[in-house]
Amino acid sequence: QFIAFASLFFILVSITTFCLETHEAFNTIINKTEQVINGTETVLQYEIETDPALTYVEGVCVVWFTFEFLVRVVFSPNKLEFIKNLLNIIDFVAILPFYLEVGLSGLSSKAAKDVLGFLRVVRFVRILRIFKLTRHFVGLRVLGHTLRASTNEFLLLIIFLALGVLIFATMIYYAERVGAQPNDPSASEHTQFKNIPIGFWWAVVTMTTLGYGDMYPRTWSGMLVGALCALAGVLTIAMPVPVIVNNFGMYYSLAMAKQKLPRKRKKHIPPAPQASSPTFCKTDLNMACNSTQGDICLGKDNQLMEHNRSSGRIPL
């Protein structure tokens, strides 16, 4: 539990640091303009430097993630399955850019600067560490199982949306061209739907009932197409979603039932009876034995009865 809480703490700190690095309060613009004259113009160069405190915090988090990753690699019974695991790949990809960036930060060559700039862009991979929380939260694991089990429903939803987007983008393009001015054959001044690919964005936004309002129909025929597009979007999304919800409910119920099950305790195995103990023959009689063992046990039982008679004790 201590390792789980420590890992959770460093994950949250790393994600917080990643978000704060983009805030202007932690970024300083440094003028690195050199007196390089390109013809008659001076080339200006600026570089954004992040607060070193955030870099140190990220370094501590990366050291912990590296230690955790190496320990899990060493003690993993199956190295091949460990490498194929998606969460382990995310761990490695999120750790590697930090060490490469630290190693290349002292170099001044142009190639090193280009690689360093690329690594700074790739730093967004660190946000994938949020998926490591699935090891510690049952709800996230349930969500992952639900998404995996609902792959066919998601593909069906994407196909329905793709067909609807294609149909309604084409319809809105021709509907908005109705009533265009004769001196504007491209209808660029009459409507925002200048071509069908632009209508794809409007169809997606309308079918998912978002409605940003950046593009909207202006003719009565376009408004009719827009109303049909919105209704078709509601029906399209409403059909596969109940199946996905049922899958989530099933996996959630299984996860909750598994948590409520009592933990298995180690069964106490009684020691085997010795040959000199009186229960030895009784144990053997209860087991499936051959005729030789039965004769031996019966003989010992007769001896025990004769001993009790001679001592005046009659067994009940």
Side-chain angles (χ1 to χ4, degrees), residues 128-144:
L128 297 179
R129 287 176 183 156
I130 195 67
F131 291 106
K132 294 176 64 175
L133 297 178
T134 56
R135 297 193 183 103
H136 311 291
F137 289 98
V138 179
L140 294 178
R141 290 199 296 269
V142 171
L143 180 61

Side-chain angles (χ1 to χ4, degrees), residues 2 7 30 36 40 55 72 82 137 153 159 173 180 215 224 236 242 293 304 308:
F2 172 77
S7 179
I30 300 175
V36 178
T40 59
T55 305
R72 293 173 57 239
F82 182 87
F137 289 98
E153 287 74 19
I159 292 174
Y173 170 73
M215 298 176 63
L224 179 61
T236 300
Q293 292 176 344
L304 182 61
N308 292 334

Side-chain angles (χ1 to χ4, degrees), residues 46-83:
Y46 296 96
E47 184 176 343
I48 298 177
E49 184 177 354
T50 308
D51 192 345
L54 297 180
T55 305
Y56 295 146
V57 173
E58 177 64 20
V60 173
C61 296
V62 170
V63 169
W64 168 262
F65 293 139
T66 305
F67 169 75
E68 182 186 16
F69 184 79
L70 292 178
V71 169
R72 293 173 57 239
V73 169
V74 172
F75 292 98
S76 175
N78 192 338
K79 302 294 188 297
L80 183 60
E81 293 296 329
F82 182 87
I83 295 174

Side-chain angles (χ1 to χ4, degrees), residues 2-201:
F2 172 77
I3 296 176
F5 281 115
S7 179
L8 176 61
F9 172 76
F10 282 107
I11 290 172
L12 296 178
V13 170
S14 176
I15 294 173
T16 304
T17 304
F18 174 75
C19 296
L20 291 178
E21 285 180 356
T22 60
H23 197 276
E24 59 273 9
F26 297 95
N27 292 323
T28 304
I29 300 177
I30 300 175
N31 187 359
K32 294 208 171 181
T33 302
E34 299 178 358
Q35 297 298 325
V36 178
I37 300 177
N38 185 8
T40 59
E41 297 181 359
T42 302
V43 178
L44 301 178
Q45 294 181 356
Y46 296 96
E47 184 176 343
I48 298 177
E49 184 177 354
T50 308
D51 192 345
L54 297 180
T55 305
Y56 295 146
V57 173
E58 177 64 20
V60 173
C61 296
V62 170
V63 169
W64 168 262
F65 293 139
T66 305
F67 169 75
E68 182 186 16
F69 184 79
L70 292 178
V71 169
R72 293 173 57 239
V73 169
V74 172
F75 292 98
S76 175
N78 192 338
K79 302 294 188 297
L80 183 60
E81 293 296 329
F82 182 87
I83 295 174
K84 291 181 179 180
N85 193 350
L86 180 60
L87 293 178
N88 298 329
I89 296 174
I90 291 174
D91 291 345
F92 180 76
V93 173
I95 291 171
L96 185 61
F98 179 82
Y99 290 106
L100 293 178
E101 186 174 349
V102 172
L104 296 174
S105 59
L107 301 179
S108 58
S109 62
K110 185 177 182 301
K113 289 183 178 179
D114 294 339
V115 175
L116 188 61
F118 174 75
L119 291 176
R120 289 176 179 173
V121 175
V122 178
R123 284 188 299 181
F124 76 92
V125 180
R126 288 185 296 171
I127 200 63
L128 297 179
R129 287 176 183 156
I130 195 67
F131 291 106
K132 294 176 64 175
L133 297 178
T134 56
R135 297 193 183 103
H136 311 291
F137 289 98
V138 179
L140 294 178
R141 290 199 296 269
V142 171
L143 180 61
H145 290 306
T146 303
L147 296 178
R148 192 179 299 112
S150 305
T151 304
N152 294 332
E153 287 74 19
F154 280 114
L155 291 177
L156 189 64
L157 179 61
I158 292 174
I159 292 174
F160 286 167
L161 284 176
L163 292 176
V165 166
L166 180 60
I167 293 172
F168 288 105
T170 305
M171 291 177 64
I172 196 66
Y173 170 73
Y174 288 104
E176 282 291 286
R177 295 181 70 85
V178 175
Q181 300 296 329
N183 56 357
D184 186 18
S186 62
S188 59
E189 298 178 359
H190 177 71
T191 180
Q192 296 175 329
F193 300 92
K194 300 178 177 60
N195 51 58
I196 293 178
I198 292 179
F200 290 163
W201 167 252

